[in-house]
Amino acid sequence: MVHMNTENRNIGSMVVIDTEGSVADYTQLPRGKQERLNTTVTDKLKANRREKNGLLEALWQERRLVQESGILSYLNKQELLLQESMYEVVTTEQSYLERLGVAVNHFMKSSTLRRALSPRDHKSLFSSIAKIREISQNFLDIMREELESNLLCDMLCDVIHRHTSSHFGAYVDYIRNMPYQEQTMHNLGRENPQIMEILRKLQDDQRCYRLPLKSFLVLPFQRITRLKILIENILKSTEQGSERQVSTEKALRALIKVVEACNREVGRMKMMEEIVHIANKTEFECKALPLVSSSRWLVRQGQLAQLSEKENIFGHRKLCHIYLFLFNDLLLVTTRKGPDRFVVRDHVHRSLIEVSEGLEEKEDLVCASWERMFCLALLKNQKGTTSQLLLQASTHAEKITWMEMLSHRVDGMEGIYEEWDCPQVRCTEVYVAQQPGELSVQLGDTINVIQKTADGFLEGRRLVDGERGWFPDYCAVQVTNEYVQRKHLRQRYHVLQTANRILTRRHTVPQATACFR
């Protein structure tokens, strides 16, 4: 390894890696060779600083400083590969910065586009991409300064760690805004052909390589993911137990934390896009409710056949198609209005769903199969009443899947609750947290309970500030909220169903019935 100490220009502090990979003290070289290498390195470092604003060479070994220093003759293949991997972080950052420049200087600062967009749409469309570009510029400048003072790239992982920990939170904020970018682009494309024509003309510029604006707006997320992959590649080539490994692992941990936060935002973004799309293609025949919510996501959707429970005067059962949208906290019962339009006929909170096998007795049905049928009960629908749907899936496996999805409810069976359907308590005593993970509570605090333990502790989230933690159950009493009311409805339904089966149980011979579409 060769390293130039920027505070002390004494080349005697250098070490080199010979062709076999072992580390040797630079001072062990013949004095004449020391002086020649000393002079070459010093001169080239100065020349490299004068070329600060120039483009970087594609490869580390192509740098004039490296080629003329003589260091390449001392590096084995593995060490050379490691240096190239670290140098790639700098070259790819430079390329990324150039493309960010197109997004900012060509699109965002376009006077024609700014005049055509409302201030709100302009801000939503470009978000904080100018700030991201500034962060990238500072990041690149610091890495290049290090390269100008050192032959090897070993210091770059320390730079990455410091910069990631201090500045890369802006990437999370940017990605958090991407759903609004997407929605703005969608609305503009549908409502404002003039703006779309302006964008097409901007995209025809040779700097864009005919890529659309969206390709430039997603660059920050692509970059933060690519940077993590680059550091992982560096770590694979790093010697175990070395200082390089320590600094590389620190940089990787910092990047993983940022990437995970970004992925969470992307996940929320995709779920939000999906809900917005569903909201745009549905209309309510019944009592309407707002579908779009940051705490809601789609679990399953699909078409089923509904079989009427009663026969008509001809002894037939009607079979018609319905389409279900099952969210984490809500079920929509819809019918198709067109190829991609739906009308909501009914809806119910997910905790007020009960499923069971479709028929008490096996029946011979024309156009229907009892093996693929199940009963879906809405205990309190949008009218405040109980309704039952006799449904048929296309296959037996699909029936099982739908029944499992629809009936999936923790319901406190193991003391764990979904935050959209959980008990609520009011604190009757003050409790001061004794250890990390506990929640200090005050008299009168209202808390949603997320988990209960057998030893008398509750995990909850305080409504007033969203703070989460553990506290003893003797400090609080349960209050009547929607969760309790829904639980009582389920219990009442089960009692009535059991009583009904006992009263109506009789031995009859199944008769064949028909159904028609």
Side-chain angles (χ1 to χ4, degrees), residues 21 119 388 466 471:
Q388 290 188 335
F471 59 97

Side-chain angles (χ1 to χ4, degrees), residues 456-517:
F457 267 80
L458 306 176
E459 184 186 17
R461 189 185 303 278
R462 186 163 43 221
L463 296 189
V464 67
D465 58 7
E467 189 173 352
R468 177 171 174 169
W470 292 89
F471 59 97
D473 60 5
Y474 67 76
C475 295
V477 294
Q478 184 166 315
V479 298
T480 301
N481 66 341
E482 290 185 359
Y483 164 81
V484 176
Q485 295 170 358
R486 291 191 289 260
K487 184 177 181 180
H488 290 165
L489 274 172
R490 292 195 297 269
Q491 292 173 343
R492 179 176 179 273
Y493 175 80
H494 292 156
V495 170
L496 291 176
Q497 288 295 101
T498 302
N500 186 59
R501 282 195 295 269
I502 293 174
L503 292 173
T504 59
R505 184 174 297 157
R506 60 182 181 273
H507 299 285
T508 58
V509 179
Q511 298 180 351
T513 61
C515 66
F516 67 93
R517 296 184 183 276

Side-chain angles (χ1 to χ4, degrees), residues 178-432:
M178 287 179 68
Y180 304 103
Q181 282 182 342
E182 184 72 24
Q183 188 63 31
T184 300
M185 287 291 291
H186 175 74
N187 293 339
L188 291 174
R190 185 177 57 184
E191 302 168 1
N192 202 322
Q194 176 192 359
I195 291 178
M196 299 310 295
E197 180 61 28
I198 293 172
L199 286 175
R200 275 192 289 271
K201 290 181 179 179
L202 289 171
Q203 289 160 190
D204 285 341
D205 189 281
Q206 61 179 1
R207 287 171 290 183
C208 301
Y209 298 99
R210 295 189 177 275
L211 293 174
L213 172 60
K214 187 175 180 180
S215 297
F216 295 94
L217 295 180
V218 300
L219 286 173
F221 179 64
Q222 293 174 344
R223 177 56 183 170
I224 204 71
T225 306
R226 173 78 183 282
L227 195 55
K228 172 178 171 287
I229 295 172
L230 292 174
I231 303 304
E232 288 173 338
N233 290 337
I234 294 172
L235 188 59
K236 291 176 184 176
S237 303
T238 304
E239 183 183 355
Q240 293 290 323
S242 64
E243 291 185 7
R244 286 176 180 170
Q245 184 187 33
V246 173
S247 63
T248 306
E249 287 177 343
K250 286 171 62 178
L252 182 59
R253 284 195 296 269
L255 273 168
I256 287 174
K257 186 180 294 185
V258 175
V259 170
E260 287 177 347
C262 290
N263 283 333
R264 285 194 295 270
E265 295 302 328
V266 169
R268 293 190 186 102
M269 176 184 69
K270 290 181 178 178
M271 290 188 295
M272 183 66 71
E273 287 175 357
E274 195 169 36
I275 292 179
V276 169
H277 180 63
I278 293 172
N280 287 337
K281 65 183 181 181
T282 56
E283 58 186 72
F284 284 81
E285 178 188 73
C286 57
K287 181 180 178 181
L289 54 78
L291 276 183
V292 180
S293 170
S294 59
S295 60
R296 178 172 293 146
W297 62 87
L298 183 68
V299 175
R300 185 178 175 83
Q301 62 176 313
Q303 183 171 279
L304 295 165
Q306 180 182 358
L307 187 67
S308 62
E309 292 186 0
K310 296 181 180 180
E311 299 176 352
N312 61 16
I313 58 175
F314 302 104
H316 297 160
R317 293 195 182 192
K318 186 178 180 181
L319 192 65
C320 59
H321 292 294
I322 65 170
Y323 200 92
L324 300 185
F325 291 97
L326 178 64
F327 300 93
N328 61 308
D329 63 340
L330 179 71
L331 173 68
L332 299 184
V333 181
T334 75
T335 54
R336 286 187 180 273
K337 188 179 180 179
D340 199 32
R341 298 289 300 174
F342 300 87
V343 178
V344 180
R345 307 294 186 189
D346 209 346
H347 56 78
V348 65
H349 194 276
R350 190 180 177 186
S351 65
L352 294 177
I353 294 171
E354 292 290 339
V355 293
S356 58
E357 291 293 339
L359 297 171
E360 291 290 332
E361 301 288 345
K362 297 180 180 179
E363 298 182 21
D364 294 326
L365 299 174
V366 180
C367 301
S369 169
W370 64 267
E371 293 145 327
R372 294 185 277 123
M373 298 182 66
F374 65 96
C375 180
L376 171 64
L378 315 182
L379 304 191
K380 187 179 180 181
N381 60 13
Q382 47 88 25
K383 294 181 179 179
T385 61
T386 299
S387 62
Q388 290 188 335
L389 308 177
L390 198 57
L391 303 179
Q392 176 182 272
S394 59
T395 65
H396 184 262
E398 186 185 29
K399 166 193 168 180
I400 299 301
T401 301
W402 268 111
M403 290 185 68
E404 289 177 350
M405 289 289 187
L406 289 165
S407 62
H408 176 68
R409 184 180 61 249
V410 178
D411 202 25
M413 294 295 291
E414 299 178 358
I416 302 174
Y417 306 89
E418 303 283 358
E419 289 202 58
W420 51 268
D421 186 38
C422 63
Q424 198 172 84
V425 297
R426 184 177 64 254
C427 295
T428 55
E429 294 185 28
V430 174
Y431 178 75
V432 179

Side-chain angles (χ1 to χ4, degrees), residues 71-84:
I71 187 62
L72 291 176
S73 61
Y74 295 99
L75 301 181
N76 59 24
K77 184 177 180 180
Q78 181 179 356
E79 179 67 24
L80 182 60
L81 179 63
L82 177 59
Q83 294 303 315
E84 294 293 2

Side-chain angles (χ1 to χ4, degrees), residues 12-26:
S13 62
M14 278 191 182
V15 294
V16 299
I17 298 179
D18 62 23
T19 54
E20 298 301 318
S22 60
V23 179
D25 192 332
Y26 171 80

